Amino acid sequence: MTKKVAVLAVNPVNGAGLFQYLEAFYENGIQYKTFAVAETAQIKTNSGIGLQTDDAVASLKGREDEYDALVFACGDAIPKFGENAGKQYNQDMLAVIKTFNDKGKIMVGHCAAALMFDSAGVGKGRKTALHPFIKNVVKGCIGTDEKTVIDGNIYTAQTENSISILLPELLKALK
Amino acid sequence: MTKKVAVLAVNPVNGAGLFQYLEAFYENGIQYKTFAVAETAQIKTNSGIGLQTDDAVASLKGREDEYDALVFACGDAIPKFGENAGKQYNQDMLAVIKTFNDKGKIMVGHCAAALMFDSAGVGKGRKTALHPFIKNVVKGCIGTDEKTVIDGNIYTAQTENSISILLPELLKALK
């Protein structure tokens, strides 16, 4: 039986990253639901297009058991994360990331995903692929120069440009 | 001076394809406007996410001179194109494609883009990259097995998976 994936999309989100996951899940019959890391389900891409996701991240809290994997879709919201870290939706996001990992689910993401995982205390001692700018910023997990890394339950890609390399192994794990 | 691009998005559209163009244009300071090949500007991705584009294709008719290039973003609407060919938005799309090409503008697209160009009488004698299923369906343009082809003003990629190979040359042409 295929697994069910919760997809977190920050606001704004990199559409090229987000939709590489979503179209691949769609084409492979993997169920998914999208959650905006925002107050509402209505967000934008970096490129300014309005997106209607399924729900806001607050609705995912306490319902983690309904899913087998979590995807973090990065975007231009993240360089400003520091300014907005206290906002409820970002706190909900970190809580959801922690719960998914505590339950041993598959954790996926690109670009600054490893930094968000790290901020939630997830990935300690695990190697990760991540944006070169944050290689030395992560504390618990191990930053690398790899295009993609799979270490235990954690699947990471350096940027949206290497998601296509990560996808075949990820799809195998989700089927 | 960078050029301005009109981006056609069919309904439903493959989000992974569409947003590879849009995020690359955004990151490279290239102006663009998105037009839904639909009655309204509200469409969906193949993967079921609601997208708010800038306008519907009817609004692009007669305003082609405002742009230097046209992108055709393919999607699951196209396998059903035959059923809907007579709809006004599809007729508008074909008319817009013809006008852009008649004016010598840059024509871009992936998957079945070459078939839509061909249906509009565009690309006669030009080599194109296109989905293998339609290689022998196109009449005026020449189908190939290449991942990407640039022939004159026509830039094509076989599927959304080879847009990343086409982008560097396309971005050079748009700058």
Side-chain angles (χ1 to χ4, degrees), chain A residues 69-118:
Chain A
L70 183 72
V71 170
F72 174 84
C74 202
D76 280 356
I78 296 306
K80 295 183 180 172
F81 182 76
E83 296 166 33
N84 300 308
K87 296 224 166 113
Q88 189 59 47
Y89 58 80
N90 276 327
Q91 292 298 312
D92 288 345
M93 173 186 74
L94 293 174
V96 161
I97 288 171
K98 184 175 185 306
T99 303
F100 267 81
N101 187 67
D102 285 350
K103 292 173 180 277
K105 294 174 193 283
I106 296 170
M107 310 293 289
V108 187
H110 63 281
C111 202
L115 181 61
M116 294 298 107
F117 294 171
D118 196 66

Side-chain angles (χ1 to χ4, degrees), chain B residues 111-112 114-115 118 128-145 158:
Chain B
C111 201
L115 181 60
D118 196 66
T128 56
L130 72 185
H131 195 288
F133 287 1
I134 56 164
K135 185 184 162 188
N136 298 315
V137 179
V138 290
K139 295 189 177 97
C141 67
I142 302 159
T144 71
D145 295 312
Q158 191 173 47

Side-chain angles (χ1 to χ4, degrees), chain A residues 13-20 22-23 26-27 32 34 42 45-54 76 160, chain B residues 13-20 22-23 26-27 32 34 42 45-54 76 160:
Chain A
V13 66
N14 183 302
L18 173 66
F19 284 101
Q20 280 179 81
L22 296 185
E23 300 296 353
Y26 166 70
E27 290 168 10
Y32 53 89
T34 51
Q42 183 78 46
T45 60
N46 293 354
S47 46
I49 306 299
L51 292 188
Q52 182 67 44
T53 65
D54 292 308
D76 280 356
E160 61 279 8
Chain B
V13 66
N14 183 302
L18 173 66
F19 284 101
Q20 281 179 81
L22 296 185
E23 299 298 353
Y26 166 71
E27 290 168 11
Y32 52 89
T34 51
Q42 183 76 48
T45 61
N46 292 355
S47 47
I49 306 298
L51 293 187
Q52 181 67 42
T53 66
D54 292 308
D76 280 356
E160 60 279 8

Side-chain angles (χ1 to χ4, degrees), chain B residues 65-95:
Chain B
D65 278 338
E66 296 176 22
Y67 301 88
D68 305 287
L70 184 72
V71 169
F72 174 84
C74 203
D76 280 356
I78 297 305
K80 294 183 181 172
F81 181 76
E83 295 167 33
N84 300 308
K87 296 225 166 114
Q88 189 59 46
Y89 57 80
N90 277 328
Q91 290 299 310
D92 287 345
M93 173 187 74
L94 293 175

